[in-house]
């Protein structure tokens, strides 16, 4: 069993930055695919970014490319989402997710993921 705990959300002005963290308990994450998703009020949950440390692969939604960076610390079992140049449309609850996987892939479909955190709120004021 894996437990994921997100932190780092908060209120920021448009153009500002936040760094989200996802601390994972359990097994070493070298064999996991990790992802960040978000859900705004009235909208479906959407993929933001994914990482596969073992293969040094990352993937981003088009809406966040060049602004967000996903990274991980395999020793600390923590994945980060650095968010720069935030826009009001980035406001949402952000979720961390994990999938135990040996293929080396990065997944964008939320249905692929096995474990989810409780979410952390990001609010961006205009």
């Amino acid at each position: 069993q894996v437990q994921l705990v997100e932190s780092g959300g908060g209120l920021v002005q448009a153009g500002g930055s936040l760094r989200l963290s996802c601390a994972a308990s359990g097994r070493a994450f070298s064999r996991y695919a990790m992802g960040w998703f978000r859900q705004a009020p009235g909208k479906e949950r959407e993929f933001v970014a994914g990482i596969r440390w073992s293969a040094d692969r990352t993937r981003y939604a088009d809406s966040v490319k060049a602004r967000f960076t996903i990274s991980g610390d395999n020793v600390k079992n923590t994945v980060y989402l650095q968010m720069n140049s935030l826009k009001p449309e980035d406001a949402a609850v952000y979720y961390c997710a994990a999938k135990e996987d040996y293929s080396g892939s990065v997944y964008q479909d939320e249905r692929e993921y096995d474990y989810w955190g409780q979410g952390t709120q990001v609010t961006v004021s205009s």
Side-chain angles (χ1 to χ4, degrees), residues 43-96:
K43 295 187 177 181
E44 294 186 351
R45 188 157 56 186
E46 64 176 357
F47 172 79
V48 176
I51 188 169
R52 191 57 190 263
W53 299 327
S54 61
D56 195 25
R57 293 177 184 168
T58 59
R59 183 176 291 178
Y60 297 92
D62 289 342
S63 60
V64 307
K65 278 181 182 176
R67 299 189 298 122
F68 290 12
T69 302
I70 188 170
S71 63
D73 186 328
N74 199 33
V75 175
K76 295 182 178 180
N77 276 5
T78 300
V79 63
Y80 304 98
L81 185 68
Q82 177 66 44
M83 305 186 296
N84 298 328
S85 302
L86 282 161
K87 305 175 181 179
E89 53 263 42
D90 293 318
V93 177
Y94 282 71
Y95 297 92
C96 175

Side-chain angles (χ1 to χ4, degrees), residues 7-62:
S7 61
L11 172 64
V12 64
Q13 288 188 331
S17 298
L18 281 175
R19 188 177 80 156
L20 306 183
S21 299
C22 172
S25 63
R27 305 166 185 175
F29 276 76
S30 59
R31 58 180 169 182
Y32 281 78
M34 303 294 295
W36 283 99
F37 291 77
R38 67 187 182 187
Q39 187 169 22
K43 295 187 177 181
E44 294 186 351
R45 188 157 56 186
E46 64 176 357
F47 172 79
V48 176
I51 188 169
R52 191 57 190 263
W53 299 327
S54 61
D56 195 25
R57 293 177 184 168
T58 59
R59 183 176 291 178
Y60 297 92
D62 289 342

Side-chain angles (χ1 to χ4, degrees), residues 102-122:
Y102 295 88
S103 71
S105 300
V106 178
Y107 297 91
Q108 293 184 257
D109 188 339
E110 63 174 314
R111 294 169 295 181
E112 296 281 0
Y113 288 84
D114 304 309
Y115 305 100
W116 292 84
Q118 82 290 348
T120 185
Q121 178 72 50
V122 172

